[in-house]
Amino acid sequence: FFRCFRMDEGKQSFVSHKKLGELVRQVDHRHELDPEVADLVLELADSFVESAIRFGSQLARHRGDDTLKVRDISLYLETTYKIRVPGFCELEPPAKVQKREPASDSPSAKSPVALDVHMNRNKSRASNKK
């Protein structure tokens, strides 16, 4: 499923020290990471990936599917971190809801004045019953 790399302590990481160093050099070729900082960044990256996969897997199971989909991870990123990835966050549009017209004898179909009179009439009936 995911290709993991072995770290020095026997832990697995989703990104290797080598790949992280390459990424830093792509951003700025004059810089490099201190080994302790690199370990921390790798730990954070692993935690991020693991929680995204866990959340996405729960969503997939909830849908009755055993396949993790882009929309599962997109929902995680948006709800947890407010991250929208262009081209990958277009969630399915909501289903159109057809509006029903209220029945002509319902209070919501009447004018605001008629609605107020209707409401007051119901209040007076309730107080008369006491």
Side-chain angles (χ1 to χ4, degrees):
F1 190 72
F2 284 100
R3 185 171 177 197
C4 297
F5 298 93
R6 289 263 174 217
M7 294 179 65
D8 295 334
E9 302 101 37
K11 296 180 187 176
Q12 290 187 344
S13 180
F14 291 101
V15 180
S16 68
H17 276 272
K18 182 180 176 182
K19 285 287 185 185
L20 183 60
E22 289 173 10
L23 179 62
V24 169
R25 283 188 292 283
Q26 285 178 5
V27 173
D28 189 342
H29 62 85
R30 298 171 293 162
H31 290 97
E32 62 181 60
L33 292 178
D34 182 62
E36 290 177 10
V37 173
D39 288 341
L40 179 62
V41 170
L42 291 174
E43 188 177 318
L44 289 171
D46 289 342
S47 176
F48 176 81
V49 170
E50 287 172 11
S51 61
I53 291 171
R54 189 177 312 111
F55 184 93
S57 297
Q58 289 172 342
L59 285 175
R61 268 188 253 120
H62 179 72
R63 279 196 330 271
D65 199 349
D66 61 349
T67 304
L68 186 61
K69 296 188 178 178
V70 171
R71 66 183 178 180
D72 301 321
I73 302 300
S74 294
L75 183 61
Y76 171 75
L77 293 174
E78 186 159 346
T79 58
T80 307
Y81 297 103
K82 307 290 187 239
I83 296 174
R84 295 194 72 153
V85 181
F88 293 102
C89 286
E90 283 71 28
L91 300 177
E92 294 175 8
K96 289 190 176 184
V97 178
Q98 200 172 25
K99 286 188 176 182
R100 288 188 338 185
E101 291 297 322
S104 60
D105 62 337
S106 74
S108 60
K110 299 177 181 176
S111 70
V113 173
L115 182 59
D116 188 43
V117 170
H118 178 77
M119 297 300 277
N120 287 334
R121 191 178 317 138
N122 285 342
K123 286 180 186 175
S124 64
R125 286 182 189 164
S127 64
N128 289 339
K129 289 182 182 180
K130 293 180 181 180

